[in-house]
Amino acid sequence: EEVTIVPSNSKAASPQRPSKPKVETDTACIPEKIKPSRAKKPAVACDWKAPAPSEYAEVHDTLIQSFGKPHIRTDGNSRSACGRKRSVLDAAVAIILSQNTSNINSSRALKSMNEAFPEGAAQIIAAPEEELEVAIRCGGLSKMKASRIHGLLRQISETRQGDLSLEYMRDLPTEQAKEELTAIKGLGPKSVACILAFTLDREDLAVDTHVHRVC
C-alpha cells in the first residue's frame, strides 16, 4: 500500500469552494441616489426659488383652518419651566431648570424650588448653593444647575448694582434684549429664544422639543 508523505513545512491544499455566479447589476433598476459610483451621473442644475410671500400666507391660512388659531398667553405664570413667567428674571432662572431634562422633571424642580424659596431670587442668592441643589435635585443635574442659577443671580446683581431684576428688558429692542440675555452665563441661544418668545412676547423661535407649533 502506497503512503503519501506531506512535508511538515508545506500546507495541504484545501478543497476549493464553488464560486458564486457573478450577478450583473442592472443600474437602470436602481434609484439615481444609490447607483454604484461607477455609473456616471448627469449634472443637475439647482433651479429652486424661495416661495413668494403669498405662498407663505397660503400655508399659514391652511394651518389655521386645520388646527385653529393658537392661544397666546398674555398674563399669568406657566407651570412649565420653559413657559411664560411673570418676570424676566423668573424666566431666566426657570429656563436653566429645563436644560437637558424632560418637561415633567423641570416642572417638578421648579415647583420644589419655589416651595423651598418662597421669597424668590433674593432668598436663593442668600442661601448656600447646596440648599438650592437639594431643592432642585428631582430635576436632574442639580449640582450644575444650582451653580448656574447662583452664578446668574450674582452676575445680574453685580451688573445692576444689587437690583435683582431684568424687567428693564421689556423696553429694549429685540436684538438688544437678545444680546444682553446671551451675555448672561448659563443662557444659550435656545434659552434666550424661550425667554424672548414666551415672556417678552417677541417674534423669536426656540428650536426645542417642547415647542410643538409655529404659526
Side-chain angles (χ1 to χ4, degrees), residues 93 97 104-118 120 123-124 127-143 145-147 149-150:
V93 171
L97 296 177
I104 293 176
N105 286 342
S106 61
S107 298
R108 287 173 179 168
L110 177 62
K111 182 176 182 294
S112 177
M113 183 187 71
N114 289 337
E115 290 174 350
F117 303 96
Q123 188 178 5
I124 293 174
E129 194 172 298
E130 292 74 17
E131 289 186 18
L132 176 59
E133 182 183 342
V134 171
I136 64 175
R137 185 165 293 164
C138 57
L141 301 175
S142 57
K143 186 176 183 63
K145 292 178 181 179
S147 176
I149 291 172
H150 255 248

Side-chain angles (χ1 to χ4, degrees), residues 34-53:
I34 59 171
K35 281 185 179 181
S37 57
R38 65 176 179 273
K40 188 175 180 180
K41 298 179 182 180
V44 178
C46 180
D47 58 354
W48 181 86
K49 295 180 181 180

Side-chain angles (χ1 to χ4, degrees), residues 141-174:
L141 301 175
S142 57
K143 186 176 183 63
M144 178 193 73
K145 292 178 181 179
S147 176
R148 286 185 178 181
I149 291 172
H150 255 248
L152 175 146
L153 295 176
R154 287 195 300 269
Q155 183 179 348
I156 294 172
S157 179
E158 292 170 3
T159 304
R160 303 290 299 169
Q161 290 77 46
D163 181 21
L164 281 173
S165 174
L166 294 175
E167 292 306 292
Y168 73 95
M169 289 193 179
R170 295 186 185 276
D171 300 323
L172 297 181
T174 299

